[in-house]
Amino acid sequence: MPDSLLYFSTAVGWLALSFLAWRAARPALAGGPAHGTEVRVESVLFPVALVLHAMLIYRGVVVAEGLNLGLANAVSLMVWLTALIYWLAGLAYPNLSGMQGLMAPIALAAVLLQFALPARHVVTYTAEPLFTLHFGIAMLAYALFIVATIHALLMLALEKWLHRGVLPPFLRSLPALLEMEALLFRILLAAFVLLTLTVVSGVFFSEQLFGKALTITHKTLFGILSWCIFGALLAGHYFRGWRGKTAVRWTLAGFTALLLAYIGSKVVLELILKR
């Protein structure tokens, strides 16, 4: 399949899912019955869009020299992993299936970004097993933190709408607020463990390839800062009972630091400094 057709097919898939999610969330339909046909369409279309998106990422990332981990490819990969996690979560917990509609426009934006910014940042040491381990753990950690951040924002929205006494359709299917909060901390704990492994494997990876320990750079500094923020949040929750809006604020702060660590450094290097 030519790249242009693959871009188009993937974008159309996510656009269709975004439209279905928007139509289901309209206030006019808040009290209406669920449409079984739409549910069946979404349950089929979402994995199809995931497969097309995976093919697009593979063609963009895997090159003859190694891996092209430019800004757009990296963002697209993390968004795809996040969408995959939500799809798997929807299979295990049907109450979370409504989250897939929220991921569709984000995935569409990632595909459009990949098309508009075909930047190249080729990593040539992909044959190193330690790099493969480090990269895989890091991408999964970032995806889980994206899930946690979306989850935290949904908790804010859910609390806001509960005070109003009327929930839009896409929030009605979600678990209760206390269950959402418990799930948030389980996600954060898993993501924090993976982020810890990312930092540790990054140190060994740097020593193995470059013969020196990990140096303090913009990326390293914000990465360690995000690790400290998430660690403090988990400690505060389990030992001091932090929850609610406090937990949401700390989650957003940690994710902002993580975003500056990885995406921020790529924006500066690739788009501003043209490296």
Side-chain angles (χ1 to χ4, degrees):
M1 183 184 295
D3 284 351
S4 57
L5 180 57
L6 185 56
Y7 272 110
F8 179 77
S9 302
T10 308
V12 167
W14 290 126
L15 181 61
L17 285 164
S18 300
F19 172 74
L20 290 174
W22 169 79
R23 187 167 65 174
R26 285 190 303 175
L29 298 179
H35 296 276
T37 302
E38 288 182 7
V39 173
R40 287 195 296 271
V41 169
E42 292 175 11
S43 64
V44 173
L45 188 54
F46 199 90
V48 170
L50 279 175
V51 171
L52 290 172
H53 200 158
M55 294 170 59
L56 188 63
I57 292 171
Y58 181 82
R59 290 196 178 188
V61 172
V62 180
V63 294
E65 303 92 335
L67 295 180
N68 178 14
L69 299 178
L71 172 64
N73 286 344
V75 170
S76 189
L77 177 57
M78 284 187 286
V79 170
W80 178 82
L81 279 172
T82 306
L84 177 63
I85 290 171
Y86 274 123
W87 179 65
L88 294 174
L91 295 178
Y93 305 98
N95 286 347
L96 294 176
S97 59
M99 302 287 291
Q100 297 173 10
L102 296 178
M103 279 306 304
I106 300 175
L108 174 61
V111 170
L112 295 177
L113 179 67
Q114 196 175 356
F115 177 78
L117 294 176
R120 288 180 64 85
H121 177 201
V122 178
V123 177
T124 57
Y125 37 78
T126 54
E128 294 289 340
L130 189 56
F131 170 77
T132 303
L133 178 65
H134 170 75
F135 178 74
I137 293 174
M139 289 298 102
L140 186 55
Y142 294 148
L144 281 176
F145 279 122
I146 295 175
V147 170
T149 302
I150 295 174
H151 202 85
L153 292 173
L154 275 175
M155 286 173 55
L156 283 179
L158 187 59
E159 184 178 9
K160 177 182 176 181
W161 283 97
L162 281 173
H163 285 304
R164 294 184 177 182
V166 179
L167 288 178
F170 77 97
L171 288 178
R172 289 180 185 175
S173 62
L174 295 177
L177 191 57
L178 288 178
E179 293 181 32
M180 291 278 287
E181 186 176 79
L183 183 58
L184 171 65
F185 281 102
R186 287 197 290 268
I187 297 170
L188 285 172
L189 180 59
F192 180 74
V193 171
L194 290 175
L195 183 61
T196 303
L197 292 175
T198 300
V199 174
V200 173
S201 62
V203 173
F204 285 104
F205 173 65
S206 178
E207 290 183 345
Q208 177 178 317
L209 283 187
F210 308 117
K212 59 180 180 180
L214 197 63
T215 55
I216 300 299
T217 62
H218 169 277
K219 180 179 178 180
T220 307
L221 181 63
F222 279 100
I224 294 175
L225 177 61
S226 67
W227 182 85
C228 291
I229 291 174
F230 285 120
L233 169 58
L234 289 170
H237 172 69
Y238 289 111
F239 296 109
R240 299 183 64 87
W242 291 0
R243 51 189 298 273
K245 290 185 178 180
T246 300
V248 172
R249 292 192 191 100
W250 277 75
T251 300
L252 296 179
F255 180 73
T256 300
L258 195 63
L259 199 65
L260 289 172
Y262 191 70
I263 303 301
S265 62
K266 283 187 169 295
V267 168
V268 171
L269 291 175
E270 296 180 26
L271 301 184
I272 299 177
L273 299 180
K274 303 294 183 181
R275 293 183 186 176

